[in-house]
Amino acid sequence: MTPVLLLQVMALGLLTGLVYALVAAGLSLIFGLMDVVNFAHGQFLMLAMYAAFAVHAASGVGVALELPLVVLLLFVLGVATYRGLIARALGVATNRGMVQIFVTFGLGIFLTGAAQFVFGGDFRSIGDGMLANRSLILHGLHLPLAQVAAAVVCLLAFAALALISRTEFGRALAATREDREAVALIGIDRNRIFALGWGLGCAAVGVAGVMLVQFYYVSPNVGADFALIAYVTVALGGFGSLLGALVAGILIGEVEALTALLLEPSLKQVGMFAIYLAVLMLRPRGLFGRL
Amino acid sequence: MPTLLEVERVSRSFGGVAANVDVSFTVQAGEIVGLIGPNGAGKTTLFNMIAGEIAPQSGVIRLDGAVVCGRGPLAAARAGIARTFQVVRSFDTMTVLENVMVGAFAHAHRTRTAMAEAAAVIGATGLAAHADTPAASLTPPGKRRLEVARALAMRPRLLLLDEMLTGLTPAEAQEGVAMIRALRAQGITILMVEHVMEVLLPLIDRAVVLDLGRVLTVGTPAAVVRDPGVIRAYLGERYAAA
Amino acid sequence: MAKLPDNAILRRRRRELAAGGAVLLALAVLPLPIADVYTQNLIIMALLFAGLAQAWNILGGYCGQISLGHALYFGIGGYVSTLLFLRAGLPPSLGMFAGGLAAGAAALLVGWPCFRLSGHYYAIATLVVAQIAYLLALNWDFIGGATGLYVPFHAESWGDLAFRTTKRPFHYIALAFAAAAWFAGYLIEGSRWGYAWRAMRDDPVAARSLAVRLLPSKMAAASISGGLAGIGGAIFAQYVGYIDPDSVMSLQLSILIALPAVIGGVGTLWGPLLGAAVQVPISEVSRSWLGGAGRGSDLMIYGALIVTVALLRPAGLASLLRPARRPPPAAEARNANAA
Ligand SMILES: Nc1ncnc2c1ncn2[C@@H]1O[C@H](COP(=O)(O)OP(=O)(O)OP(=O)(O)O)[C@@H](O)[C@H]1O
Ligand SMILES: [Mg+2]
């Protein structure tokens, strides 16, 4: 194995890791806000990928049009999911933790079925997009343009999330997170904040989905793999921590790439899962989780 | 009377907050001792250390001469320390009888034994009519009573009551006082935190006053209320308000 | 000691035992008039999942530790019994208990580190552990890798749990499994463990102040739960005659094992059976009726059903069976305090 190959693999790991990080950030944001793990998160990603694919097929304009449309769609979907399902799930009298898991889980199954119903079971991708099949050559490293673009956009989306957390709305988010009862007293509508939080979390997934489908195949079941990685990333970084999602996402991307290179491609997930378990044994709340 | 509980130079802080500083006092077997002090004085923290929930950073706590602190709640419970919580913690999916049985299982191994013991305790604490009610649907005073019953079913030697009478109507509080007196008559030693002086002072043998984590004074109720430090730190404002 | 008066708990337990006997009897005669293989299969799968969900319920319901990785124990049970049969000639009627033991031991191994985690951290850790095992199994040639293993067939026999001409014996095997799991739940509910587990599920801090030992309690629940799931896995492997990581260790399966308990009623004696009786037919029927033609409409119906039941019946379908509890009016509680 040459150093160049190692560098090449690590660079690709970083690019992938940034996408993982953004997917995880959406999940983490929602969790941090209201202790809800969205078990349909992977299906939201899958939906975003299909939506981008559909926009592409209909317009052919490219990412510039796909991004805003899909992100808006996912935002609306997130708000609707909160209003229609999650708010109700949080309001049940018994088994709240369990109900919330299985409501989102059922939603995930529903969405998988819906995707199969509409798009069929085939694998699809935007093979002819303007980012497809082009590469960036950098100091001898061969970087697919679509993946570079995805990493850059995801990083920008991260920056946007970080900025949002500094605005008035971000402070309202934080206040809602800290003390749910008290915010009502100072005139913040908890339900509205939660709904917006869901919108925002899903919009982040929307960004990731659009960028992902530029170079990755989409099928009704694509969500499951990414969701699993997202859960691991969030738990590794610490539920509710944006920085944790970023660091853990990159870490997971690297570990995955290196395991595939050094051990065996079919075991690439074993490496990242093992790292996650090891870290969790030492830090039960993840790298940046609040204790 | 032999000494049951010895708290010796116990300290504990959380980050920068010194919740308990060099706290020392003793409780004799069969006594009712009141632990009083303004909000944030460190009363619950002290309870948590006696009950093994948290460990002191320095100092020791002994029950009947044996060290009980820093060994976890299980060791404290086995040594004979039972408690109630300032914020009620009932097992909400279980009935009152089942809640109390959990306490009885601390020494009973057979279900029937635990059930009989729990039924007896429930009778003695005035919850008999509610034996089969889910704990979740008890009223707040009912839940406080349930916590006491659950603790009693463990057959403790020392019972820690954290603001058990707080938030009750005067009539309910008087029932609580009667119950505590009955417990002492059974030979259970009681250390209790309470803010309502009118109820507490006639009930207790001695009072330990905490302020800002330190013991301000220890003495009979009559002596404590006359202590100028205590009046300044605590009673003055309360009595003025009352 | 005071003489124990008859009380609601004892009465309820007597009623439940009687009901359990009656249901067992009914399920024992149920297959006699049914000749249709499709329906027979449906009932066998429902019974199997009733037992599996009860196994899950012991850890997830009574003890409150939401495991999303029970396929691991199911798979271990299946593989151990199949491999013992294949490589050592041990008949599966014995091998399934070896599988159960191995799965129970695995549950202890997983529990030891994972029980230090709480809430979602625990749930996701169990999911990940199971997924690691699944990926390793795919790559492990000794156990057949991704291709899987066929269970050898010598002759129809109870010792080998092998039957080809009729499904009926499997009905009784699955029924025995479901009944054993139900009875385990029944015994636990009435035992010191059952009380300790429910207490720590409701409030661990209060439970440990009452001398409940949290970690040993969880470990005990995990080993029983994992062991039962392992026996279920061994039965499944015998029934299908074939075992591969996708059919016995997948993430989906972990969820399918937990779901009936959730639909039927978590932490209840009858929930898993009820849930399986609803879930298995609906998923099978919608798959065979709609799966081909509707392409995905089966999943839509299934997902919508889970959402609906979870929202409308958060305590599960079993809460329909229980007579509505009268909420004690506040005044009455006051009177009791005065007494
Ligand atoms: N787990 C903790 N972490 C951080 N600070 C704590 C913790 N527990 C207690 N404290 C702090 O220690 C101090 C003493 O708290 P404690 O609850 O013991 O007071 P208290 O006398 O019981 O008050 P109250 O009458 O309001 O119940 C307070 O300043 C509190 O904020
Ligand atoms: Mg307090």
Side-chain angles (χ1 to χ4, degrees):
Chain A
M1 177 181 41
T2 63
V4 176
L5 176 61
L6 189 66
L7 267 183
Q8 167 81 38
V9 165
M10 289 187 66
L12 288 178
L14 175 69
L15 297 183
T16 317
L18 283 168
V19 178
Y20 289 166
L22 187 61
V23 178
L27 191 65
S28 190
L29 185 113
I30 291 169
F31 178 87
L33 197 55
M34 62 187 92
D35 278 15
V36 168
V37 172
N38 177 14
F39 279 90
H41 200 68
Q43 280 72 26
F44 282 7
L45 180 75
M46 175 266 295
L47 229 55
M49 292 170 81
Y50 270 122
F53 174 81
V55 172
H56 177 82
S59 72
V61 173
V63 189
L65 181 65
E66 291 154 22
L67 258 182
L69 281 183
V70 174
V71 168
L72 185 69
L73 174 76
L74 265 283
F75 180 86
V76 171
L77 190 69
V79 173
T81 304
Y82 176 75
R83 293 274 185 204
L85 298 177
I86 307 302
R88 271 165 233 261
L90 293 177
V92 302
T94 46
N95 280 333
R96 199 165 303 143
M98 211 119 14
V99 165
Q100 165 246 296
I101 289 183
F102 286 92
V103 162
T104 55
F105 188 80
L107 177 66
I109 295 183
F110 179 85
L111 293 177
T112 305
Q116 218 165 69
F117 190 75
V118 176
F119 295 99
D122 301 338
F123 287 80
R124 299 166 188 241
S125 81
I126 301 187
D128 56 348
M130 58 182 182
L131 296 171
N133 305 321
R134 279 197 255 164
S135 285
L136 203 64
I137 314 250
L138 213 75
H139 300 295
L141 300 183
H142 201 76
L143 306 173
L145 196 57
Q147 265 182 277
V148 174
V152 170
V153 170
C154 286
L155 209 52
L156 287 175
F158 241 99
L161 282 180
L163 277 181
I164 288 173
S165 68
R166 283 160 191 265
T167 61
E168 187 86 356
F169 171 66
R171 277 199 295 277
L173 276 184
T176 312
R177 182 161 56 213
E178 297 308 326
D179 193 337
R180 288 172 204 173
E181 318 305 318
V183 289
L185 299 176
I186 55 172
I188 297 177
D189 178 358
R190 204 169 64 121
N191 255 317
R192 207 172 132 247
I193 296 290
F194 280 0
L196 288 177
W198 268 81
L200 210 56
C202 293
V205 173
V207 175
V210 172
M211 298 319 291
L212 202 56
V213 80
Q214 307 300 325
F215 62 92
Y216 200 92
Y217 289 96
V218 55
S219 77
N221 293 316
V222 78
D225 275 344
F226 281 98
L228 191 60
I229 294 173
Y231 302 139
V232 170
T233 308
V234 172
L236 178 60
F239 276 101
S241 162
L242 207 57
L243 178 65
L246 182 62
V247 173
I250 295 173
L251 189 65
I252 294 272
E254 290 296 353
V255 170
E256 181 189 43
L258 290 175
T259 323
L261 174 72
L262 302 176
L263 281 179
E264 149 88 41
S266 58
L267 289 180
K268 63 181 184 179
Q269 292 199 328
V270 174
M272 67 164 123
F273 291 163
I275 293 277
Y276 149 83
L277 285 178
V279 171
L280 228 55
M281 290 311 117
L282 300 174
R283 292 185 63 89
R285 300 245 143 179
L287 294 171
F288 297 89
R290 282 161 299 156
L291 277 163
Chain B
M1 270 190 294
T3 303
L4 181 66
L5 177 74
E6 290 167 82
V7 176
E8 200 178 298
R9 309 203 58 182
V10 164
S11 299
R12 169 82 209 203
S13 53
F14 296 101
V17 183
N20 276 193
V21 184
D22 257 350
V23 173
S24 300
F25 65 92
T26 59
V27 176
Q28 311 301 312
E31 258 190 320
I32 302 182
V33 173
L35 182 60
I36 58 181
N39 290 109
K43 305 177 296 287
T44 300
T45 303
L46 185 58
F47 266 24
N48 280 336
M49 287 193 285
I50 299 173
E53 192 63 47
I54 58 178
Q57 282 152 339
S58 65
V60 290
I61 298 170
R62 290 192 202 87
L63 190 79
D64 223 4
V67 176
V68 284
C69 61
R71 305 190 174 175
L74 183 69
R78 287 196 171 153
I81 299 173
R83 70 176 302 186
T84 67
F85 295 88
Q86 184 173 348
V87 180
V88 251
R89 294 175 173 277
S90 43
F91 305 130
D92 279 348
T93 66
M94 303 166 79
T95 66
V96 167
L97 180 62
E98 289 171 331
N99 266 263
V100 180
M101 282 172 71
V102 175
F105 272 121
H107 51 83
H109 284 260
R110 295 191 51 237
T111 306
R112 298 223 160 209
T113 322
M115 206 177 272
E117 170 112 12
V121 172
I122 282 176
T125 45
L127 283 166
H130 293 271
D132 300 320
T133 309
S137 45
L138 284 181
T139 57
K143 285 195 179 184
R144 295 231 173 250
R145 230 159 235 271
L146 173 60
E147 282 207 346
V148 177
R150 213 168 53 182
L152 286 178
M154 279 175 67
R155 294 191 192 149
R157 301 161 74 195
L158 175 68
L159 182 58
L160 309 173
L161 302 173
D162 200 346
E163 304 201 10
M164 191 217 145
L165 305 174
T166 305
L168 305 194
T169 64
E172 286 163 353
Q174 282 315 317
E175 291 159 18
V177 167
M179 185 169 86
I180 293 168
R181 287 219 167 89
L183 295 180
R184 188 243 293 271
Q186 288 170 33
I188 297 171
T189 308
I190 292 167
L191 179 60
M192 59 187 295
V193 170
E194 206 52 67
H195 284 300
V196 197
M197 290 306 135
E198 301 79 6
V199 180
L200 186 73
L201 294 178
L203 177 62
I204 58 180
D205 300 315
R206 287 189 305 136
V208 175
V209 186
L210 277 187
D211 184 33
L212 297 173
R214 292 172 190 274
V215 175
L216 214 54
T217 175
V218 181
T220 62
V224 162
V225 279
R226 268 186 264 112
D227 188 295
V230 175
I231 294 170
R232 208 177 317 116
Y234 183 64
L235 296 177
E237 37 161 346
R238 291 246 159 206
Y239 267 8
Chain C
M1 197 211 327
K3 195 180 163 297
L4 187 63
D6 197 31
N7 66 34
I9 298 177
L10 296 175
R11 278 196 303 275
R12 195 196 66 222
R13 282 182 65 72
R14 277 198 301 272
R15 258 199 329 268
E16 277 179 341
L17 199 58
V23 171
L24 181 63
L25 205 67
L27 288 172
V29 292
L30 177 69
L32 299 179
I34 297 174
D36 168 34
V37 179
Y38 179 82
T39 313
Q40 284 177 348
N41 174 57
L42 210 64
I43 298 174
I44 291 171
M45 291 310 284
L47 286 173
L48 192 64
F49 272 92
L52 289 169
Q54 182 64 279
W56 182 88
N57 193 37
I58 287 170
L59 180 62
Y62 292 122
C63 199
Q65 305 298 307
I66 304 178
S67 157
L68 296 178
H70 258 53
L72 172 62
Y73 313 127
F74 184 81
I76 288 177
Y79 271 111
V80 166
S81 113
T82 304
L83 285 166
L84 282 176
F85 189 32
L86 210 62
R87 303 269 151 83
L90 184 75
S93 55
L94 298 176
M96 68 178 183
F97 296 107
L101 278 180
L108 289 177
L109 269 175
V110 174
W112 178 254
C114 289
F115 284 139
R116 304 188 318 136
L117 309 172
S118 54
H120 295 298
Y121 286 93
Y122 171 78
I124 290 175
T126 57
L127 194 153
V128 165
V129 170
Q131 197 66 11
I132 291 181
Y134 162 76
L135 291 170
L136 290 176
L138 279 179
N139 287 282
W140 191 11
D141 293 332
F142 178 75
I143 62 165
T147 341
L149 298 170
Y150 281 95
V151 180
F153 181 84
H154 305 304
E156 300 223 331
S157 93
W158 282 94
D160 286 1
L161 299 183
F163 306 93
R164 284 218 166 143
T165 50
T166 166
K167 283 187 186 297
R168 198 158 286 163
F170 278 109
H171 177 93
Y172 291 102
I173 295 168
L175 178 58
F177 171 62
W182 182 91
F183 195 60
Y186 175 81
L187 290 181
I188 286 167
E189 273 198 0
S191 77
R192 190 181 184 199
W193 272 353
Y195 283 85
W197 294 352
R198 279 177 288 163
M200 58 182 259
R201 174 193 64 193
D202 284 359
D203 193 322
V205 173
R208 73 182 171 203
S209 83
L210 297 167
V212 171
R213 300 190 300 161
L214 301 191
L215 184 64
S217 299
K218 292 179 191 176
M219 293 290 267
S223 62
I224 297 173
S225 176
L228 277 171
I231 294 177
I235 294 173
F236 179 79
Q238 285 307 120
Y239 179 54
V240 179
Y242 169 74
I243 185 169
D244 74 340
D246 273 317
S247 63
V248 297
M249 292 182 85
S250 71
L251 205 165
Q252 266 81 355
L253 187 68
S254 287
I255 303 294
L256 287 181
I257 290 174
L259 257 184
V262 175
I263 291 177
V266 169
T268 66
L269 195 51
W270 293 99
L273 181 66
L274 265 176
V278 172
Q279 181 202 299
V280 173
I282 287 184
S283 75
E284 290 288 324
V285 168
S286 60
R287 178 159 51 208
S288 56
W289 284 11
L290 302 171
R295 295 189 322 170
S297 47
D298 57 330
L299 292 179
M300 289 166 74
I301 291 177
Y302 190 42
L305 177 88
I306 295 171
V307 172
T308 313
V309 172
L311 285 182
L312 295 186
R313 277 278 138 197
L317 297 174
S319 62
L320 293 169
L321 294 180
R322 227 174 295 138
R325 277 176 169 149
R326 72 191 157 90
E332 198 184 317
R334 293 252 156 81
N335 292 342
N337 288 348

